Amino acid sequence: EDQVTQSPEALRLQEGESSSLNCSYTVSGLRGLFWYRQDPGKGPEFLFTLYSAGEEKEKERLKATLTKKESFLHITAPKPEDSATYLCAVQGGNTGFQKLVFGTGTRLLVSP
Amino acid sequence: DADVTQTPRNRITKTGKRIMLECSQTKGHDRMYWYRQDPGLGLRLIYYSFDVKDINKGEISDGYSVSRQAQAKFSLSLESAIPNQTALYFCATSDSLSDTQYFGPGTRLTVL
């Protein structure tokens, strides 16, 4: 069964203090790994899709990387507006529709 | 205007009542999904639809039903609401060329 584990559950940073969030996964045939940002009371907002080990994608202060067992979301010089819950999800299988399996998220708080 | 809208945004109802949550999208996507989110459990798939004539159960469909009224509209019904259906409900969409799903703002449902 596909599984996603995110760590830490919660992370508090000072503004400008860089760090990384971890997403460990087990899946039979990775089709895609997805990162979302979720603000309180809102729906998940799509950030990145990664498809193969070694792939990296960047957006502003965020950089997502992928290995065969985990993905990291690196946050460089974070600002208070980066505070949110970050969700990781994987989709496995080689054919047909396969549901996304979500982790429970990392709650990030960036203090000024 | 938002690409994916959900109504109502908040709903309080009583045990045994029938309730419908509605989702509309202007993204032109053919695939639509319903999820629920509970603290500590992550997002779980309730139902999904690949076109107007296609409806499929997800991992937690018991107690729920859906209707795809048009390509842009997908509604979720709770036939007889129970307290453990209290949760955040999200609609999502994707197109057949990409596995990336885009989420609506959510409906907070409370069953007393």
Side-chain angles (χ1 to χ4, degrees):
Chain A
E1 184 176 331
D2 300 346
Q3 278 192 310
V4 174
T5 302
Q6 292 188 246
S7 62
E9 287 187 13
L11 180 63
R12 173 170 282 190
L13 299 174
Q14 290 294 121
E15 185 172 2
E17 180 186 2
S18 301
S19 187
S20 296
L21 313 182
N22 177 263
C23 171
S24 296
Y25 66 90
T26 55
V27 66
S28 51
L30 181 69
R31 281 171 55 165
L33 184 140
F34 305 83
W35 282 100
Y36 288 86
R37 168 192 171 127
Q38 186 174 23
D39 293 298
K42 296 188 177 181
E45 175 189 347
F46 171 71
L47 293 173
F48 305 109
T49 307
L50 302 169
Y51 294 102
S52 58
E55 189 174 0
E56 300 181 351
K57 288 192 176 175
E58 289 188 65
K59 179 180 180 181
E60 296 181 357
R61 295 176 293 282
L62 300 177
K63 179 180 177 180
T65 62
L66 182 64
T67 73
K68 289 185 178 180
K69 294 183 178 181
E70 57 192 352
S71 177
F72 292 94
L73 186 65
H74 306 278
I75 303 177
T76 301
K79 297 182 178 182
E81 53 261 43
D82 294 321
S83 298
T85 295
Y86 291 87
L87 302 175
C88 172
V90 296
Q91 186 177 42
N94 297 314
T95 60
F97 171 73
Q98 298 294 331
K99 66 181 176 68
L100 292 182
V101 176
F102 282 84
T104 53
T106 293
R107 285 179 285 108
L108 174 66
L109 178 63
V110 182
S111 302
Chain B
D1 289 340
D3 294 320
V4 184
T5 57
Q6 293 184 233
T7 56
R9 293 297 313 279
N10 288 283
R11 180 72 183 266
I12 300 173
T13 191
K14 294 182 179 180
T15 297
K17 294 291 187 180
R18 184 179 189 275
I19 184 170
M20 179 182 288
L21 309 183
E22 298 185 330
C23 176
S24 295
Q25 53 111 350
T26 58
K27 297 181 78 67
H29 289 170
D30 48 359
R31 300 181 174 190
M32 298 187 74
Y33 311 82
W34 275 105
Y35 288 88
R36 68 177 277 175
Q37 186 176 42
D38 298 274
L41 290 181
L43 284 152
R44 292 180 292 166
L45 184 63
I46 306 172
Y47 270 95
Y48 62 99
S49 169
F50 282 1
D51 63 42
V52 175
K53 297 180 180 180
D54 177 75
I55 300 290
N56 303 281
K57 292 182 178 180
E59 61 184 306
I60 53 164
S61 59
D62 287 349
Y64 302 95
S65 62
V66 292
S67 174
R68 186 82 183 264
Q69 301 95 324
Q71 187 192 35
K73 295 184 182 295
F74 193 34
S75 59
L76 175 72
S77 293
L78 285 67
E79 299 303 325
S80 179
I82 56 177
N84 77 359
Q85 291 178 314
T86 293
L88 274 170
Y89 289 84
F90 291 102
C91 174
T93 73
S94 68
D95 66 35
S96 56
L97 301 178
S98 169
D99 293 321
T100 300
Q101 296 181 21
Y102 298 87
F103 287 79
T107 294
R108 182 175 295 278
L109 176 66
T110 302
V111 183
L112 301 176

